[in-house]
Amino acid sequence: MRTRVDIRPRRGSRTDMAEAEGGVGGGSGARPDMAVQRAELGPLLAMALMPGESWYLVDSRWFKQWKKYVGFDSWDMFGAGDLSLFPGPVDNSGLFGDPETQSLKEHLIDELDYVLVPAEAWNKLVMWYGCMDGQQPIVRKVVEYGLFVKHYKVEVYLLELKLCESSDPDNVISCHFSKADTVATIEKEMRKLFNIPTEKETRLWNRYMSNTYEQLCKLDSTVQDAGLYQGQMVLIEVKNEDGTWPGQPILAKGSGFVCNSYSCRDNASLSQPGLCGLSNLGNTCFMNSALQCLSNTPPLTDYFLEDKYEAEINQNNPLGMRGEIAEAYADLIKQMWSGRQSHVAPRMFKTQVGRFAPQFSGYQQQDSQELLAFLLDGLHEDLNRVKKKPYLELKDASGRPDSAVAKEAWENHRLRNDSIIVDIFHGLFKSTLVCPKCSKVSVTFDPFCYLTLPLPLRRDRLMEVTLVYADPQRRPVQYRVVVPMMGAISDLCESLSRLSGAPAENMVVTDVYNHRFHKIFHMDEGLNHIMPKDDIFVYEVCKPSVDSSEYITLSVYFREKTMRQSNNASGTVLFGQPLLISVPKHKLTVDHLYSVVLEQISRYVKLPLVEEYSATCTGKGTCNGSNGVVEGDIEEMEHQDGGEEVKDKLAEADACHSEGCMPVESARDLQPCKKQLFTFSLVNSSGTSEINSIVEGKILKLNAFSALAIDWDSDTRRLLFDEQEAQAFEKHGSMLQPQKKKAVVALRDCIELFTTMETLGEHDPWYCPNCKKHQQATKKFDLWSLPRILVVHLKRFSYSRYWRDKLDTVVEFPVRGLNMSEFVCDPRAGSYVYDLIAVSNHYGAMGVGHYTAYAKNKVNDKWYYFDDSSVSMASEDQIVTKAAYVLFYQRRSSEEHTAPSPPQEEYDGMDTN
């Protein structure tokens, strides 16, 4: 599970990027037509990853615009594309955390924040479109993961190691390495950094705690196999002239230089068994949380501490991991329950997990429940007492009693799966499907290892939006509105209208990013397209109905004209908040547009007095309303050096030379003066490239939401544009009101929702054996039998194409006396009463949060809070929070059996402890 990070500047930030014509690198090659671009890039984008290849990151926003421009998407059946969406030069600025160093932001997500393209595809895009001036390509290598199942992925984030000499540990140099690099590569780099001659013998140590070192003995090991993690310290030691090592005298005194899997600590500082923290190896809090929950599951921990696992390791199971996961887990549990350490570093355990489950091999944040599922399955297969699994043919219920079918299903399951994990964690579902056409009923019984319970979904959501009023003298106002969770843009407008008084039909909802409109929404679009962190601006567009004139709405971007000293090329920089203006079609002239825009910006652009500004204006011909040039002399506006010089000279000839220009508050008090403050350009929807020239004095033929840029020279912007007022906004009372307390859900509500009958979706039908076709059957889950340790996974994370969300609803669950008997449908089942023994917590947003655990120590029956290497006392009233993610319950001993035994009666066989 990757992380979702808001990569956009918030409202009011300055992220002025050099863009558009003349401000780019590359792009000198002839750009083929859209069909050729699609044909050439299509196969390249579908290429499989191969180890050692170079792939490039491209900002998803730029790439999506390119796809729309050339008609690459499947919905564009004619491949027509959209000429108005010319993407301009490849722009990766949204991926950089620091524009100066061009270091990547943390937690970027593949496909959501960036796309990966092979080298040949990147070269073609740069040849056709160029690349933003000064931006270096983001190139990464494909690396191989996994021991048995080979898994390839692009290593987007390199590993940072802190390097130093053992003789000077304060002189630390940070370097980045690939997980596929070898220890020999690190040694070579360190020799170069610290000027160590090649003839000198050296050895490397990694430090993973304050006084714990481990020698990196195998130079051919990869960074990944060596278990090195983000930010780890690596020391290089140089052999003395007399053949001794500097560290040897210290080693004799027990400094902590050791060569073992776990940490070496002062044996005198004994601690309570089980109260042992786990060091964070770099985004491994998810693993630590799951391990602490399992460590505090008494029957499983006792099994390992008593070495019962040794006789049951199954090294030949093709579904297992040769017993290596079980042995690594046993070693870790013994360390944690030795009472000799306050915390250990689970490095070798993580390395083993990464070898068999490549998704956990890196140092990205993962999901504690997903790791838990892998670990329980891995331990089960490594400890499966069945050496050769028999083939079993599934039988239909065929009207037989549920008890008989359930007994048969459980016995068949045990014939193939017999381990401590099955003994402790496995229960039995009853699944009922009913065909809506022929009423065929299908009943099956399936084993489960944990319950994944849905949370009741919220029916509405809060959204923060900023309303830009049609009245140019009013500052924008920020509102918090309540909208239906699965509503449409029209619902947002209606809700905002009730708070603001602005007519909903006059509203246009936009997503603003980097001083431009990233998206302009239609009224019927779903609100699920809007992410929680999107900057949503709603514009009130005036649509007068005095006459029957047809109005057209246009996008207007602010740009500053710049001159690059390096190559004397002109470019532009986007700034400010974009505008939406509504103009009658019959008045679409440059003169009228100028007056409309001047009116719209009058609150934050302080204009000179018209009398003094135009009193000395002279010149031949009539000044037009765009760029202060004589009509008929220059009609086109292009970023070409020669043309700019001519226009500048002509503009200077018409400029006001008055000394006493005074600012006024509003454009309403004056008429347009002879020298204009800005010029117009017709641009693409990103404002990065000019599409066409504008002809003065004629009716312009523009489409709805065509984009215009108003270009300012630097001096005019500095003197007249009030940046602070342009970014100013007010907060409506809805932003200041305390938010309603979130609804509290009981655990039983989640269980009832899980066991509620539902109709299968059209994309997930059931094949009816009677009808001989797929049908949208009704489906119902029931609980037939429950295990000794009941693991409950609260499904807090939801995913869709446009939406990734975490439900932070508080689920009230009992710490003592959870009675599950009423939910068990076996009429002859015993009592199922459980007590809580552990909780895996997740704090923060999806993918970028932090995992901890609460657990009850089996020695003293007290609760503790485990936060990576830290362990502290806890009380029962602290445990139920909105962060609770995975719950561990233990069945009360009065209902437990000491061990699972073959059933004597039908009913006994179905009580899985």
Side-chain angles (χ1 to χ4, degrees):
M1 181 180 64
R2 296 204 182 191
T3 63
R4 162 76 169 107
V5 172
D6 184 28
I7 63 171
R8 290 194 253 179
R10 307 310 299 161
R11 186 177 188 278
S13 66
R14 290 290 308 278
T15 318
D16 299 347
M17 306 302 298
E19 301 180 76
E21 310 293 325
V24 302
S28 57
R31 188 182 308 117
D33 63 31
M34 297 176 179
V36 174
Q37 291 186 50
R38 292 196 304 271
E40 290 193 17
L41 256 63
L44 296 177
L45 297 176
M47 285 175 57
L49 298 175
M50 296 298 291
E53 287 182 342
S54 294
W55 283 60
Y56 291 75
L57 275 70
V58 180
D59 192 312
S60 281
R61 290 177 180 271
W62 185 93
F63 193 72
K64 286 175 183 175
Q65 183 144 332
W66 171 80
K67 289 171 73 174
K68 291 176 183 176
Y69 173 66
V70 300
F72 193 87
D73 289 304
S74 56
W75 51 260
D76 193 344
M77 63 183 67
F78 301 108
D82 188 343
L83 289 173
S84 69
L85 296 177
F86 180 71
V90 180
D91 183 3
N92 282 334
S93 57
L95 303 181
F96 297 135
D98 183 348
E100 295 298 321
T101 62
Q102 297 190 8
S103 57
L104 287 185
K105 290 183 176 178
E106 295 182 0
H107 311 301
L108 295 177
I109 300 174
D110 189 13
E111 297 296 336
L112 187 67
D113 301 315
Y114 63 85
V115 294
L116 292 162
V117 301
E120 190 177 349
W122 169 263
N123 292 335
K124 287 181 182 292
L125 288 173
V126 172
M127 179 176 65
W128 296 338
Y129 295 94
C131 187
M132 290 299 295
D133 191 34
Q135 281 189 14
Q136 297 299 315
I138 309 173
V139 59
R140 294 293 187 267
K141 293 285 187 183
V142 178
V143 295
E144 181 180 272
Y145 294 86
L147 182 65
F148 300 118
V149 180
K150 297 301 180 185
H151 179 74
Y152 307 122
K153 65 180 179 181
V154 177
E155 188 178 27
V156 174
Y157 291 99
L158 299 176
L159 196 69
E160 182 186 21
L161 298 177
K162 298 184 183 301
L163 312 178
C164 67
E165 291 182 280
S166 60
S167 59
D168 186 12
D170 294 330
N171 178 28
V172 177
I173 301 175
S174 293
C175 281
H176 290 84
F177 296 93
S178 165
K179 298 181 191 72
D181 285 338
T182 62
V183 174
T185 305
I186 300 175
E187 184 192 38
K188 184 179 178 181
E189 183 66 20
M190 293 184 76
R191 282 181 177 272
K192 186 169 67 175
L193 287 172
F194 299 115
N195 299 312
I196 300 172
T198 53
E199 64 271 12
K200 290 279 189 180
E201 191 176 344
T202 61
R203 60 184 184 182
L204 300 188
W205 300 85
N206 68 61
R207 186 176 77 187
Y208 50 90
M209 286 184 198
S210 58
N211 66 338
T212 307
Y213 295 79
E214 181 182 48
Q215 186 176 351
L216 296 170
C217 308
K218 298 179 180 179
L219 294 182
D220 58 346
S221 291
T222 64
V223 168
Q224 177 176 296
D225 289 341
L228 298 177
Y229 56 85
Q230 178 73 15
Q232 191 166 22
M233 181 82 75
V234 176
L235 295 87
I236 189 166
E237 189 180 21
V238 183
K239 199 170 192 178
N240 296 325
E241 296 292 340
D242 60 3
T244 63
W245 292 99
Q248 280 179 340
I250 309 173
L251 281 171
K253 299 176 184 177
S255 71
F257 277 88
V258 295
C259 197
N260 61 15
S261 302
Y262 298 98
S263 58
C264 180
R265 208 157 336 285
D266 183 5
N267 292 341
S269 57
L270 298 176
S271 63
Q272 170 80 35
L275 302 186
C276 179
L278 295 170
S279 298
N280 193 319
L281 306 180
N283 283 331
T284 57
C285 58
F286 74 96
M287 180 180 77
N288 295 345
S289 174
L291 286 173
Q292 292 290 5
C293 291
L294 282 179
S295 169
N296 286 280
T297 301
L300 184 64
T301 293
D302 291 343
Y303 172 84
F304 282 100
L305 292 180
E306 294 166 10
D307 292 331
K308 293 179 180 178
Y309 71 96
E310 291 179 346
E312 296 185 344
I313 286 180
N314 188 340
Q315 295 184 336
N316 301 316
N317 185 354
L319 298 178
M321 291 135 203
R322 301 187 305 202
E324 292 182 28
I325 288 293
E327 289 178 340
Y329 181 76
D331 286 346
L332 179 59
I333 289 297
K334 289 175 181 179
Q335 289 278 331
M336 295 172 68
W337 285 85
S338 68
R340 292 193 296 269
Q341 286 108 336
S342 61
H343 61 281
V344 298
R347 294 175 58 255
M348 296 312 297
F349 176 78
K350 184 187 182 305
T351 300
Q352 290 287 50
V353 169
R355 292 173 66 206
F356 295 100
Q359 66 270 30
F360 300 117
S361 61
Y363 293 91
Q364 297 293 307
Q365 182 67 281
Q366 303 284 349
D367 188 306
S368 66
Q369 187 273 330
E370 290 178 4
L371 177 82
L372 185 66
F374 160 78
L375 191 51
L376 289 176
D377 185 59
L379 290 173
H380 160 63
E381 296 295 357
D382 269 5
L383 299 168
N384 198 344
R385 302 168 188 127
V386 178
K387 305 302 180 184
K388 187 175 181 181
K389 296 188 178 185
Y391 171 76
L392 299 171
E393 192 169 334
L394 295 177
K395 297 179 183 178
D396 192 73
S398 301
R400 291 181 292 162
D402 282 350
S403 57
V405 180
K407 179 175 181 290
E408 180 182 82
W410 183 249
E411 289 177 347
N412 286 345
H413 177 59
R414 294 303 295 252
L415 286 173
R416 292 175 56 85
N417 303 278
D418 185 13
S419 72
I420 184 65
I421 303 301
V422 177
D423 297 343
I424 295 174
F425 292 96
H426 283 207
L428 206 62
F429 282 140
K430 176 187 175 184
S431 174
T432 306
L433 287 157
V434 180
C435 178
K437 299 296 182 184
C438 69
S439 300
K440 160 74 177 175
V441 178
S442 172
V443 176
T444 57
F445 290 84
D446 301 294
F448 68 88
C449 191
Y450 49 85
L451 282 181
T452 295
L453 300 182
L455 272 62
L457 288 175
R458 296 169 294 188
R459 296 180 181 177
D460 51 39
R461 63 185 274 209
L462 289 174
M463 292 182 65
E464 293 181 5
V465 301
T466 303
L467 177 61
V468 181
Y469 287 93
D471 180 356
Q473 297 308 307
R474 289 190 68 175
R475 285 180 173 177
V477 178
Q478 196 174 32
Y479 291 85
R480 182 180 288 136
V481 296
V482 180
V483 295
M485 179 63 76
M486 301 307 293
I489 295 294
S490 56
D491 295 310
L492 169 60
C493 295
E494 291 290 344
S495 181
L496 183 56
S497 177
R498 287 192 289 271
L499 288 178
S500 65
E505 60 272 15
N506 286 1
M507 293 180 182
V508 178
V509 180
T510 71
D511 178 1
V512 175
Y513 163 68
N514 252 7
H515 317 291
R516 70 194 74 171
F517 294 117
H518 172 61
K519 184 172 177 60
I520 297 177
F521 295 94
H522 297 290
M523 283 292 187
D524 58 352
E525 285 191 75
L527 290 173
N528 58 343
H529 290 67
I530 298 178
M531 298 289 186
K533 295 288 183 72
D534 287 346
D535 282 325
I536 300 301
F537 285 79
V538 181
Y539 289 78
E540 182 188 11
V541 179
C542 229
K543 299 176 182 175
S545 55
V546 178
D547 53 29
S548 59
S549 300
E550 185 179 353
Y551 279 75
I552 188 166
T553 301
L554 303 172
S555 305
V556 179
Y557 297 144
F558 292 83
R559 300 196 309 184
E560 179 183 335
K561 292 180 287 189
T562 61
M563 183 66 69
R564 298 195 175 278
Q565 296 180 352
S566 57
N567 55 7
N568 264 353
S570 60
T572 54
V573 175
L574 282 173
F575 71 94
Q577 183 73 24
L579 303 174
L580 280 182
I581 59 173
S582 198
V583 184
K585 266 195 170 183
H586 70 278
K587 288 188 176 181
L588 271 179
T589 63
V590 172
D591 282 349
H592 185 67
L593 284 175
Y594 185 86
S595 62
V596 171
V597 171
L598 208 60
E599 176 74 9
Q600 285 294 314
I601 64 178
S602 59
R603 179 173 55 85
Y604 46 88
V605 173
K606 308 307 179 185
L607 303 177
L609 284 172
V610 64
E611 302 86 15
E612 299 184 7
Y613 191 71
S614 59
T616 59
C617 283
T618 60
K620 298 176 183 179
T622 306
C623 287
N624 67 21
S626 174
N627 52 16
V629 302
V630 178
E631 259 190 276
D633 287 350
I634 297 176
E635 290 187 341
E636 296 186 353
M637 296 170 51
E638 298 177 330
H639 281 218
Q640 296 173 349
D641 294 341
E644 286 290 338
E645 288 175 11
V646 174
K647 285 188 280 184
D648 288 345
K649 289 176 182 176
L650 287 168
E652 286 169 11
D654 273 353
C656 166
H657 301 289
S658 173
E659 297 285 334
C661 290
M662 296 286 291
V664 295
E665 292 300 317
S666 173
R668 296 171 178 171
D669 304 330
L670 47 86
Q671 299 296 321
C673 54
K674 296 300 180 184
K675 174 165 181 191
Q676 306 303 313
L677 304 179
F678 49 80
T679 59
F680 283 102
S681 302
L682 183 61
V683 294
N684 65 347
S685 61
S686 295
T688 53
S689 299
E690 294 183 13
I691 294 176
N692 212 338
S693 58
I694 292 182
V695 180
E696 314 295 343
K698 297 182 179 179
I699 298 294
L700 303 174
K701 294 182 179 180
L702 300 176
N703 300 319
F705 298 108
S706 291
L708 295 172
I710 53 174
D711 295 327
W712 300 63
D713 64 59
S714 300
D715 290 339
T716 305
R717 176 188 174 185
R718 188 181 70 255
L719 291 171
L720 301 182
F721 194 91
D722 186 339
E723 304 278 358
Q724 187 173 353
E725 180 59 32
Q727 296 173 5
F729 65 97
E730 297 172 359
K731 288 196 174 187
H732 182 258
S734 57
M735 294 292 297
L736 307 176
Q737 293 173 356
Q739 298 187 35
K740 290 182 180 178
K741 190 176 181 180
K742 293 184 181 295
V744 176
V745 174
L747 183 62
R748 65 175 298 110
D749 296 334
C750 302
I751 300 171
E752 288 173 355
L753 188 59
F754 174 77
T755 56
T756 300
M757 184 181 294
E758 62 176 354
T759 302
L760 297 178
E762 58 180 323
H763 300 297
D764 185 30
W766 168 67
Y767 182 80
C768 175
N770 276 6
C771 301
K772 308 294 184 186
K773 60 186 291 190
H774 287 89
Q775 303 283 11
Q776 284 183 253
T778 59
K779 183 174 184 178
K780 188 179 189 305
F781 277 125
D782 289 295
L783 302 174
W784 184 263
S785 64
L786 297 177
R788 186 174 172 187
I789 299 295
L790 178 64
V791 180
V792 178
H793 165 222
L794 301 176
K795 196 174 180 182
R796 291 194 177 277
F797 301 118
S798 59
Y799 307 81
S800 73
R801 182 178 176 186
Y802 302 103
W803 184 262
R804 302 184 184 198
D805 191 22
K806 179 191 174 186
L807 302 174
D808 56 358
T809 308
V810 176
V811 178
E812 287 193 336
F813 49 90
V815 176
R816 300 171 183 269
L818 170 64
N819 193 340
M820 294 292 292
S821 304
E822 62 178 296
F823 298 107
V824 176
C825 64
D826 181 359
R828 294 175 292 182
S831 175
Y832 287 99
V833 180
Y834 290 85
D835 294 317
L836 191 72
I837 56 172
V839 180
S840 174
N841 301 306
H842 178 269
Y843 298 91
M846 193 182 78
V848 295
H850 181 59
Y851 287 92
T852 65
Y854 286 110
K856 189 176 183 181
N857 184 270
K858 70 185 181 72
V859 177
N860 61 15
D861 279 340
K862 292 181 180 178
W863 282 93
Y864 293 89
Y865 183 62
F866 297 85
D867 185 355
D868 288 333
S869 58
S870 170
V871 182
S872 56
M873 287 281 290
S875 59
E876 284 191 8
D877 56 4
Q878 295 176 293
I879 295 168
V880 180
T881 70
K882 68 177 182 180
Y885 182 41
V886 184
L887 315 176
F888 282 66
Y889 280 97
Q890 182 171 19
R891 192 174 178 186
R892 285 189 174 173
S893 56
S894 59
E895 283 85 24
E896 285 180 4
H897 299 293
T898 55
S901 56
Q904 301 302 314
E905 302 176 37
E906 279 187 2
Y907 135 72
D908 289 334
M910 290 324 304
D911 187 345
T912 61
N913 296 320

